[in-house]
Amino acid sequence: MSSNHSNESSTILIDGKSVPFTKGQTILDAALASDMYIPHLCFNPKFKPHGSCRVCLVNVNGHASCACTTPASPNAKVESDTTELNHDRRVLVQMLFTEGNHFCPSCEKSGDCSLQTTAYELGMVSPHFSPNFPIREVDASHPEMLIDHNRCIFCSLCVRASREIDCKDIFGLSERGAKTKLTVNSPTGRLGDTDFSSNDFAANICPVGAIIHKGVGFANPIGQRIHDLSTHQIQALDGEDA
Ligand code: FES
C-alpha cells in the first residue's frame, strides 16, 4: 500500500459510491458497514468467508470476484448492482431452488429465509429450470430440533458454527456438486444421537428452513418476520426468468 496515497487508501468505489474500509475488510464487509447491499447467502460476519454460493459475485476492476472473499483495496472499482450481475445471481438462486425441494408457501421459515428473500430481491418470478425433486430425508430424531434436508443450501454455516463456536463438530458436508449432502457426525448419522442442543449457536444460524426448532414454527406470524419488515433495494430487473 503506497504511503503517497494515504487519503485514497481507505476508500473503495462500489457502484460509483466511495465506501470507506479498514485494513483486513473484504469488499462485502465494507459494503455492509456502509449499508450497501450486495446479495449473499453463505456469508455470516461471525465466520471466515466460505465463498461457496457465489451469489456475492461482483466485478472488481473488470474481473469477476466474490465480494465476501476479496479484500477491499484502495481505488478498486467495484460493480455490483448491474443487470448482468443480478441476472447471474438470479440464475444461481434459481439453481438452488431446483436442486433442492423448496416450497415456500408451506415452509415455516417463510419470511425468515435468506434464500426466499434473495430470490424476491433479485426479481425471481419462477424457478426457470426443471426441478430435480431430489429424494431427501427429514431427520426428526432430536427432541427439540429438526433437519429438513430438502431445504439445505450447503452454505456450511451450521458446520462452521458447531465446529468453531460450539466446539462440537456435529455437522459436515460430504460429496460434491449435485450430490453434496449435509451430514451429522454420529454413529447413526441421526441428530438425536448427538449432544446437539437447541441453545447451540449452530441451532440458530441456518439461513433457510433446514435446521429448525420444533414446536415454534409459526410463533412469529407471517407479516412480522425478518424479511417481511425489511427489503434491500437493487436495480430493477427485467423479469426474463419467467
Ligand atoms: Fe460470497 Fe457466498 S456470500 S460466495
Side-chain angles (χ1 to χ4, degrees), residues 28 39-43 50-57 66-69:
L28 186 57
H40 55 275
L41 285 175
C42 68
F43 172 78
H50 194 234
S52 57
C53 76
R54 316 246 341 138
V55 170
C56 68
L57 209 61
C66 285
C68 70
T69 53

Side-chain angles (χ1 to χ4, degrees), residues 17-238:
K17 187 180 165 201
S18 185
V19 173
F21 70 92
T22 53
K23 194 164 182 268
Q25 280 190 315
T26 63
I27 293 170
L28 186 57
D29 291 331
L32 294 176
S34 286
D35 261 346
M36 279 190 88
Y37 175 64
I38 296 177
H40 55 275
L41 285 175
C42 68
F43 172 78
N44 182 296
K46 289 248 178 244
F47 304 101
K48 260 177 51 185
H50 194 234
S52 57
C53 76
R54 316 246 341 138
V55 170
C56 68
L57 209 61
V58 291
N59 282 332
V60 185
N61 296 331
H63 298 286
S65 310
C66 285
C68 70
T69 53
T70 306
S73 60
N75 303 322
K77 201 174 157 208
V78 179
E79 289 178 328
S80 172
D81 191 7
T82 70
T83 303
E84 292 76 20
L85 285 166
N86 286 328
H87 166 84
D88 293 348
R89 292 168 178 146
R90 191 173 57 195
V91 168
L92 289 169
V93 169
Q94 285 169 322
M95 288 168 71
L96 284 172
F97 267 89
T98 50
E99 281 169 8
N101 295 308
H102 300 275
F103 305 109
C104 299
S106 61
C107 178
E108 57 269 56
K109 201 73 188 287
S110 182
D112 283 341
C113 171
S114 296
L115 181 67
Q116 180 192 43
T117 197
T118 304
Y120 275 128
E121 285 161 358
L122 291 170
M124 180 182 139
V125 295
S126 81
H128 183 74
F129 303 105
S130 299
N132 289 357
F133 294 131
I135 297 174
R136 296 199 193 150
E137 63 175 15
V138 174
D139 179 351
S141 60
H142 192 280
E144 297 171 308
M145 302 296 302
L146 180 141
I147 305 177
D148 188 339
H149 290 274
N150 293 287
R151 302 169 182 165
C152 183
I153 58 169
F154 314 113
C155 65
S156 92
L157 284 170
C158 59
V159 179
R160 289 177 272 168
S162 184
R163 193 171 293 159
E164 295 171 28
I165 296 185
D166 303 326
C167 300
K168 291 187 176 177
D169 200 17
I170 284 175
F171 300 104
L173 291 179
S174 70
E175 313 228 22
R176 314 192 78 175
K179 292 191 173 162
T180 308
K181 194 173 180 330
L182 177 68
T183 56
V184 172
N185 295 323
S186 72
T188 58
R190 294 272 171 179
L191 193 62
D193 296 322
T194 68
D195 62 348
F196 193 52
S197 156
S198 58
N199 295 321
D200 285 356
F201 204 85
N204 299 286
I205 199 167
C206 181
V208 293
I211 300 179
I212 54 174
H213 292 246
K214 288 182 175 176
V216 296
F218 294 93
N220 194 12
I222 287 173
Q224 295 174 30
R225 298 177 170 202
I226 297 168
H227 299 296
D228 295 332
L229 302 173
S230 72
T231 56
H232 303 288
Q233 295 297 317
I234 62 170
Q235 183 172 290
L237 295 171
D238 51 16

